[in-house]
DNA sequence: CAATAGATCATCT
DNA sequence: GATGATCTATTGC
């Protein structure tokens, strides 16, 4: 795709519903969490720490809560544009190796909240190479509740993840 | 290296 | 009014 900013997702975290104290949806439907309880395949985007937007994909049927936080991306196309949005990044692997950096590099903001992800704002890539890879599992990063739940998933040995274990 | 501090604001109590 | 699914710069060993 010419001119598009795209990449391979290499790190995610799952956030569940009413049983997951770390999830925004834990407290039920509010103006903010409305999207999480909506249709799957839509983007839930929120502001974190007053500074960064984080991208999630709603993953449960309408009426129940659950989403996947997209934490890191291996850039595939539009790398020059990502660099222009994140001039401080010195290496390609620093462009989108964290949820806040990722949205910055891709130009995704809360303006996309609720958007249908299957209709073009994201391009999902198959693995970049034919090399086999393994999926690592670990606790989620930066949370206080349910801190030991193994709900972070990442491509092992991949240098674009935010941390390797 | 590892640990800590500060920036900054929408959301919910 | 307190909190937080982050990031960067800075301090200290």
């Amino acid at each position: 795709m010419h001119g598009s900013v795209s990449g391979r997702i290499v790190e995610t975290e799952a956030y569940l519903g009413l049983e997951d104290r770390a999830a925004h949806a834990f407290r039920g439907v509010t103006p903010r969490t409305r999207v999480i309880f909506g249709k799957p395949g839509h983007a839930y985007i929120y502001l974190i720490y007053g500074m960064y937007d984080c991208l999630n994909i709603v993953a449960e049927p309408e009426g129940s809560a659950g989403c996947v936080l997209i934490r890191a991306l291996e850039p595939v196309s539009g790398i020059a544009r990502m660099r222009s949005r994140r001039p401080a990044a010195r290496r390609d692997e620093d462009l989108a190796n964290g949820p806040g950096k990722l949205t910055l590099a891709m130009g995704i903001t809360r303006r996309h909240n609720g958007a249908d992800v299957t209709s073009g704002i994201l391009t999902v890539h198959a693995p970049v190479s034919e090399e086999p890879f393994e999926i690592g599992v670990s606790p989620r990063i930066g949370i206080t509740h349910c801190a030991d739940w193994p709900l972070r998933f990442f491509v092992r040995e991949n240098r674009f993840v935010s941390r390797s274990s």
Side-chain angles (χ1 to χ4, degrees):
Chain A
M1 289 277 129
H2 214 64
S4 72
V5 169
S6 70
R8 170 197 182 194
I9 294 168
V10 294
E11 180 181 346
T12 63
E13 283 175 359
Y15 285 86
L16 312 182
L18 302 172
E19 71 273 33
D20 184 0
R21 276 192 97 87
H24 291 165
F26 173 71
R27 298 181 188 282
V29 181
T30 68
R32 179 173 67 163
T33 62
R34 184 182 80 262
V35 175
I36 310 176
F37 286 87
K39 291 184 185 168
H42 287 243
Y44 166 55
I45 301 165
Y46 69 94
L47 179 71
I48 183 72
Y49 296 115
M51 304 233 82
Y52 303 96
D53 288 311
C54 291
L55 167 68
N56 300 252
I57 312 294
V58 177
E60 290 287 327
E62 191 163 12
S64 62
C67 60
V68 175
L69 171 68
I70 311 300
R71 285 195 55 91
L73 197 77
E74 178 172 348
V76 171
S77 74
I79 293 178
R81 193 178 311 180
M82 295 191 205
R83 287 202 158 285
S84 72
R85 294 193 179 111
R86 299 208 59 251
R90 299 210 106 284
R91 313 167 301 168
D92 282 356
E93 48 266 55
D94 295 321
L95 283 169
N97 58 349
K101 299 175 183 179
L102 182 149
T103 54
L104 269 177
M106 297 196 81
I108 292 172
T109 68
R110 278 164 291 162
R111 143 177 66 90
H112 300 289
N113 188 42
D116 183 351
V117 167
T118 66
S119 71
I121 66 165
L122 285 179
T123 303
V124 177
H125 280 263
V128 172
S129 75
E130 300 295 325
E131 299 288 312
F133 63 91
E134 293 180 356
I135 299 194
V137 182
S138 81
R140 295 170 291 186
I141 294 173
I143 56 169
T144 53
H145 294 295
C146 309
D148 56 343
W149 291 16
L151 292 179
R152 171 174 173 258
F153 306 92
F154 58 97
V155 176
R156 290 182 65 186
E157 316 274 308
N158 183 287
R159 69 184 198 280
F160 295 88
V161 302
S162 67
R163 46 176 97 169
S164 43
S165 61

